[in-house]
Each structure stands twice: as structure tokens, then as C-alpha cells.
Amino acid sequence: MRRFRRLRTSNAMRELVRETRLSKSELIYPMFVSDSIIEKKPIDSMPGIFQYPLDNLYELIKQVSDSEISGVLIFGIPNEKDELATSAYDDNGITQRAIRYIKSEFPKLLVIADICLCEYTSHGHCGVVKDGVILNDQTLPLLCEMAVSMAKAGADIIAPSDMMDGRVAAIRRSLDENGFVYTPIMAYSAKFASVYYTPFRDAAESAPAFGDRRTYQMDSANAREALREISDDIDEGADMVMVKPALPYLDIVHEASKRFDLPLAAYNVSGEYSMVKAAAQLGWIDERRVVMENLTSIKRAGANIIITYHALDAAKWIDEEN
Ligand code: PBG
Ligand code: ZN
């Protein structure tokens, strides 16, 4: 008889043969900065997550820096929104100011700028809208301007999340033309139209005012199309690619990690986070254990970078396990 149980007899033995270990350096923490608040404001649907005013950002960034994770993914919420998302590419916009502040206080922390118009448009869509249609090619120049503006502010990585076609090539070209040849692009390549983003839209105040995002984000039923999206973004010049959400799409993460050889990120999104927090608050599940199991699964599937609202807690738990 084969006795698999021989290697499970003690904690030391299990640790010896463990195949997947989480490390702090692969974690990224998403954060929200708002221009219209003066105190940090809890997000009801995401327990433990807050919007911060720029003036109170130090507390959070210090925590991130002390945790020794690699960096943050920053989302800005402007106090004025309009049809063309003007504040998205204003060099003095809330996100740009926040990036400058973070890089001046903690230069070693990586700052990733999410490039999308939905937090900045009055209609909440990710592109320019005409007659109820979200226009692709007319959106690209605005995304390019936004990317360059974020790079100027000091963003280390540009992460387009809008799902317009051709954006990676367009943004790469604009970055290069503006002297940012060393600023990498992390493309949200396989981003699905997911109900798991619901709590995020409270946090970022970016719910679409009409319709939904299904004409630009992917249909959750499609795996082969996701691989085509990823391969196309690589051809267009992406330096890293992403699958989003993470846990319901581990098949895509796994296949992408086998097929493509550049760094692969997975975004453990707001709804995945909030479901864990809700069950934990009700006493139905052990939060620490479920978070570590979830994050380990994402890594085991093949992700090299994990973007997660659990990052600060996970960093603490990773330390305690070592
Ligand atoms: C912007 C964007 C979204 C998320 C990240 N960037 C929301 C959306 O597409 O509606 C979702 C992140 C999360 O749910 O945690 N387009
Ligand atoms: Zn968007």
C-alpha cells in the first residue's frame, strides 16, 4: 500500500513537502483616495476597507510600507465627474496628487495606477458614451492621456482596466513618446463582466448610470476568448497580464500560466473579499484560514502576483507562519 500519510504526520513534515508558499513580495493592496472627504470613510460593503482623504493617507501608506508587501494599486475618486472624465488626466487630479505624495514619502513602494475612466465619468462607464454606446476608438486618446499623466506623477506601473480594444498598443506608444520607455504596462487582459465587482462600485463610486459593462468586459462563460485577449495584449506590448476576478476564474489563471511566459497577476476582487468578511463576521468561517487557503489556491493555479484587499492581514499571517 502507498502511504501518502507518511508525509502528513507532523507540522514540520508537512512544511517540508509543501509545494506552494505565499510570500509578501507578490502581494498588492488596492486602495481608495477620495477628494471629497476629510476623514477616512468606511465602505459598508467592504468591512475593513476605507476611502481616505489625501490628508490622512500617511497612516495607511505607513502600514503598507511596514507590512513589506510590494505595493499598492491606487483608485482615485474625484469630487467632480463629467462626460469626458476630465479629472482622470488632469495632472492635479486626486489620483495624481496621491501618487506624488506616496512616492515622496515611501519611494520604494511600488505604485500601480489603474487606468480607466469609470471613476471619473458622470455616467460611470469606462469609455466615452454617445447615444448610449460606449465608443472604443474615441476612448483610447483619453486613456493615453491618463496613463501619461499618472506616469508623470510617478506611477511605477500602468494598469489599463477599461477593456477597450487596442488600448495597450496605444498606451505603450504614448508612454514611449513621452519618455516613459521604462514604465511597464500591467494589462487587465482577461477582465470578466462580473457581479463580484459590486462592492467595489460602492468604494469607487463608479456604478454605471445605465446599462452594464457587457459590451466591453468579457462574458464569464468564455475561456478560449480570455486566452486570445491575453495573447493580443502581449502582442501589443504588455509587460504583465492579469486575470480578474481570481477565484471563480482559476481555470483561466492556470491555462494562462502554462501558455504565456510573462508575469501573471490575478485580482482577488471586492466581492470575493466581502463574501469572506461576511461569513467570518457571522462566525461561519475562520477568516485567517479561509484567506490563506484562497490566496494559496490563486498562487497554486499559477499567479505570480496577487492583488487583494486581504494583503495587509495576509502579510501579518505569512510572518507568523514563518
Ligand atoms: C475599473 C475597475 C473595476 C475594478 C477594478 N478596476 C470595476 C469595474 O470594472 O466595474 C473592480 C475591482 C474590484 O471589484 O475589486 N474599471
Ligand atoms: Zn472602468
Side-chain angles (χ1 to χ4, degrees):
M1 187 177 13
R2 252 186 229 178
R3 294 203 183 269
F4 292 103
R5 293 181 54 187
R6 275 187 208 119
L7 300 184
R8 296 174 198 153
T9 50
S10 69
N11 197 41
M13 190 72 83
R14 290 190 292 272
E15 272 186 31
L16 178 71
V17 299
R18 184 155 300 145
E19 298 176 31
T20 308
R21 283 173 223 276
L22 288 172
S23 60
K24 294 188 285 184
S25 55
E26 64 211 358
L27 299 180
I28 296 289
Y29 185 65
M31 50 169 281
F32 303 96
V33 188
S34 167
D35 216 358
S36 45
I37 53 177
I38 45 170
E39 302 227 13
K40 81 174 194 183
K41 182 179 164 203
I43 295 145
D44 292 340
S45 54
M46 299 181 73
I49 304 293
F50 299 81
Q51 288 181 347
Y52 282 81
L54 195 47
D55 291 342
N56 280 350
L57 212 50
Y58 185 84
E59 161 198 337
L60 176 68
I61 304 301
K62 174 84 169 75
Q63 239 180 299
V64 174
S65 169
D66 289 346
S67 77
E68 298 176 320
I69 66 168
S70 282
V72 294
L73 172 62
I74 187 162
F75 295 99
I77 301 123
N79 50 23
E80 297 217 15
K81 306 190 184 212
D82 59 33
E83 295 224 325
L84 292 177
T86 312
S87 50
Y89 37 90
D90 171 354
D91 288 345
N92 255 322
I94 178 64
T95 316
Q96 287 85 342
R97 276 179 285 137
I99 293 172
R100 279 198 292 273
Y101 175 74
I102 298 168
K103 290 306 290 185
S104 69
E105 293 285 333
F106 297 96
K108 282 189 267 183
L109 209 58
L110 290 177
V111 176
I112 306 176
D114 182 275
I115 303 298
C116 195
L117 305 183
C118 56
E119 293 114 73
Y120 308 88
T121 49
S122 41
H123 46 68
H125 274 290
C126 305
V128 176
V129 173
K130 187 149 186 267
D131 303 327
V133 177
I134 292 81
L135 302 177
N136 193 91
D137 300 12
Q138 290 80 346
T139 300
L140 298 182
L142 305 187
L143 295 171
C144 290
E145 263 196 77
M146 180 178 184
V148 170
S149 178
M150 297 301 170
K152 268 198 262 173
D156 298 289
I157 299 173
I158 296 299
S161 71
D162 51 283
M163 288 302 277
M164 299 299 129
D165 291 319
R167 76 231 203 266
V168 173
I171 290 172
R172 182 71 269 158
R173 194 159 161 221
S174 295
L175 289 172
D176 290 351
E177 282 170 1
N178 284 276
F180 296 105
V181 293
Y182 286 112
T183 304
I185 295 177
M186 174 191 276
Y188 285 71
S189 303
K191 178 175 181 182
F192 291 89
S194 173
V195 72
Y196 284 95
Y197 306 150
T198 312
F200 174 94
R201 291 176 190 169
D202 286 342
E205 300 171 15
S206 62
F210 66 90
D212 54 42
R213 304 206 200 288
R214 289 180 217 216
T215 64
Y216 41 107
Q217 297 180 350
M218 285 192 54
D219 188 322
S220 64
N222 295 358
R224 292 189 301 154
E225 185 187 351
L227 299 167
R228 229 156 60 228
E229 279 274 9
I230 295 172
S231 124
D232 203 63
D233 280 358
I234 295 172
D235 290 345
E236 287 185 33
D239 300 281
M240 301 177 248
V241 291
M242 194 195 299
V243 173
K244 174 186 176 189
L247 293 168
Y249 298 89
L250 290 186
D251 55 332
I252 317 283
V253 173
H254 188 239
E255 192 57 35
S257 82
K258 285 196 294 185
R259 236 188 250 204
F260 305 109
D261 51 13
L262 30 65
L264 175 63
Y267 195 149
N268 177 225
V269 302
S270 56
E272 299 174 69
Y273 171 86
S274 298
M275 291 197 307
V276 163
K277 295 298 275 192
Q281 283 184 351
L282 286 165
W284 290 350
I285 203 152
D286 181 318
E287 179 176 351
R288 173 177 172 158
R289 289 185 54 203
V290 79
V291 168
M292 294 304 274
E293 184 171 334
N294 282 351
L295 299 183
T296 302
S297 306
I298 295 168
K299 181 165 181 180
R300 195 193 59 232
N304 311 111
I305 300 162
I306 304 174
I307 302 170
T308 178
Y309 302 95
H310 298 293
L312 300 180
D313 292 327
K316 204 173 55 200
W317 296 327
I318 289 168
D319 276 341
E320 285 169 17
E321 277 176 18
N322 290 331

